[in-house]
Amino acid sequence: MCPRRTYLFWPILLLLLVGAALTALLPSPEDQIGLGVLGVLRRATTQKEKPTQLHHGVSTEEEQRFTIIIQTYNRTDVLLKLLNHYQAVPHLQQIIIVWNNIGKQTPLELWNSFGPHPVPVVFKEQMSNKMRNRLQPFPEIDTDAVLMLDDDTLVSVPDISFAFSVWKQFQDQIVGFVPRKHVSTPGGVYSYGSFELQDPETSGGDKYSMVLIGAAFFHRRYLQLFQDQPQAVHALVDETQNCDDIVMNFVVALNLRKHSKSTGSFNKPSGVFVKPVDLRNLEKEASSGYQGMWHRPEHLLQRSYCLNRLTQIYGSMPLCFSNLMVSQFGFPSYANHKSRS
């Protein structure tokens, strides 16, 4: 029996040494300026994360449930399909529809005629068709977590459930599926850029500085913070009918910066990127043929304009970069994968 024990001893010892070496290579949150994903999720497996500055003694029920907000315009058929789909989402408290079809009747009567439904739906009819209508602190919201979704975006139930579990660890940041970035120039002018899982210039992972709110979780407190922003910010969103999602990233980043200064901690990025498994665009299924505003030729120009205008209004660029993403199938990693989503 002794030779067999000796034979097993060395492979086991080798595996332990390799495991210890790999663990030592993982960066700590302090080593990554604003990138605490790995550390937080490690700690979450052994203990509950301490409440953030946005977490003020709420009940367990509020912690464990969330509210979906969907702003819609001229896509009623697709909206009904989405409402049916999201009825199956666990922990969903209610769905709020921001109805921007001014002067047109909502499909609430039609929806109720096929009830009962497990998740209640509330229609909020608006007086004008504004992009920022969806960022109101509606009194019906009684959960800390808000999941904001575009009216042409279908996110799978597993993706939503997983992102919600991630958001619970990052309640002061935006947790979502669509990252973007700002690109700076030597002259101090910013432009709006897309995010690539593989950076073609460095053959490494790209970085993002924003997570768009068209498919993202965030704390309901940020809805009121958005309302509290300078009038010039609201005017910019109304002028362009664009950029409310960029503004929200500025709002979150500024709030995080304020908190980091008071605690002496490092700056955190405004968002955490969760890589989706099944996220679909249903725009082509709309019988109205209505195309989203991102099809406009000036769309990207407007977003670059917004970045520079917001920097002027606030006096600085608060956004910072991250290259971490969280995936359902594997440990949180850097965005350096060869494939693109």
Side-chain angles (χ1 to χ4, degrees):
M1 297 299 293
C2 289
R4 179 175 296 180
R5 290 178 181 174
T6 303
Y7 176 79
L8 293 175
F9 173 79
W10 292 110
I12 292 174
L13 179 60
L14 179 61
L15 288 173
L16 291 174
L17 290 174
V18 171
L22 290 176
T23 301
L25 290 175
L26 289 173
S28 66
E30 292 75 19
D31 293 333
Q32 299 293 328
I33 301 301
L35 306 180
V37 177
L38 293 172
V40 171
L41 290 185
R42 280 200 209 104
R43 293 194 300 272
T45 61
T46 56
Q47 64 179 13
K48 186 175 181 180
E49 181 70 10
K50 294 180 180 179
T52 66
Q53 74 270 25
L54 298 181
H55 200 58
H56 297 290
V58 296
S59 67
T60 302
E61 183 69 14
E62 287 175 319
E63 291 178 0
Q64 297 302 321
R65 303 186 71 81
F66 63 92
T67 300
I68 285 180
I69 298 178
I70 302 175
Q71 180 164 282
T72 187
Y73 176 77
N74 208 14
R75 288 182 178 139
T76 303
D77 50 348
V78 173
L79 175 65
L80 291 172
K81 181 175 182 177
L82 293 175
L83 288 177
N84 183 69
H85 169 74
Y86 293 130
Q87 291 292 309
V89 177
H91 309 297
L92 178 56
Q93 179 86 348
Q94 65 178 329
I95 303 174
I96 295 178
I97 303 300
V98 183
W99 185 255
N100 271 9
N101 293 291
I102 312 304
K104 294 185 179 180
Q105 186 176 3
T106 73
L108 180 60
E109 184 176 348
L110 174 63
W111 173 256
N112 288 337
S113 68
F114 291 99
H117 304 287
V119 179
V121 176
V122 177
F123 280 83
K124 304 292 291 185
E125 298 183 58
Q126 302 301 299
M127 299 299 293
S128 58
N129 180 18
K130 291 184 178 181
M131 175 63 72
R132 62 185 175 98
N133 285 344
R134 60 181 176 174
L135 294 175
Q136 300 175 67
F138 298 108
E140 292 83 358
I141 302 174
D142 56 3
T143 61
D144 278 348
V146 169
L147 172 58
M148 188 157 286
L149 296 166
D150 288 340
D151 65 346
D152 60 355
T153 299
L154 187 148
V155 185
S156 73
V157 173
D159 277 319
I160 290 176
S161 296
F162 179 71
F164 184 43
S165 69
V166 175
W167 177 83
K168 291 177 184 179
Q169 306 302 324
F170 302 97
Q171 296 186 25
D172 54 355
Q173 293 167 277
I174 302 170
V175 174
F177 304 105
V178 185
R180 293 292 185 266
K181 66 184 177 184
H182 68 285
V183 181
S184 59
T185 65
V189 178
Y190 298 100
S191 63
Y192 181 81
S194 61
F195 171 82
E196 302 290 345
L197 286 178
Q198 181 72 15
D199 187 342
E201 293 185 3
T202 64
S203 297
D206 199 358
K207 295 181 180 181
Y208 60 90
S209 59
M210 295 172 278
V211 174
L212 303 189
I213 61 173
F217 281 95
F218 55 84
H219 198 285
R220 64 175 172 177
R221 182 171 182 260
Y222 285 123
L223 294 172
Q224 184 58 54
L225 284 179
F226 176 87
Q227 299 299 319
D228 296 339
Q229 297 309 298
Q231 179 59 34
V233 173
H234 295 163
L236 176 65
V237 176
D238 292 343
E239 170 196 344
T240 58
Q241 275 288 73
N242 201 335
C243 305
D244 64 329
D245 48 1
I246 297 178
V247 172
M248 277 296 282
N249 277 270
F250 268 69
V251 170
V252 173
L254 288 166
N255 183 74
L256 293 171
R257 175 184 289 185
K258 179 181 178 181
H259 179 70
S260 66
K261 287 182 179 179
S262 63
T263 60
S265 60
F266 53 79
N267 288 333
K268 292 191 290 187
S270 60
V272 176
F273 170 38
V274 176
K275 186 181 180 183
V277 176
D278 187 5
L279 187 153
R280 309 176 194 176
N281 185 282
L282 305 184
E283 181 182 73
K284 294 182 179 179
E285 298 185 20
S287 59
S288 65
Y290 174 72
Q291 291 187 321
M293 288 182 289
W294 62 275
H295 288 283
R296 298 179 302 184
E298 69 273 19
H299 176 74
L300 294 178
L301 292 174
Q302 284 182 332
R303 293 176 79 75
S304 295
Y305 168 72
C306 288
L307 282 171
N308 289 286
R309 185 73 184 97
L310 289 170
T311 302
Q312 293 174 355
I313 294 172
Y314 290 113
S316 65
M317 167 54 74
L319 301 178
C320 58
F321 290 97
S322 172
N323 68 339
L324 290 179
M325 69 179 182
V326 187
S327 172
Q328 296 184 52
F329 305 107
F331 201 74
S333 61
Y334 297 104
N336 58 1
H337 295 257
K338 296 293 184 182
S339 61
R340 298 180 181 178
S341 62

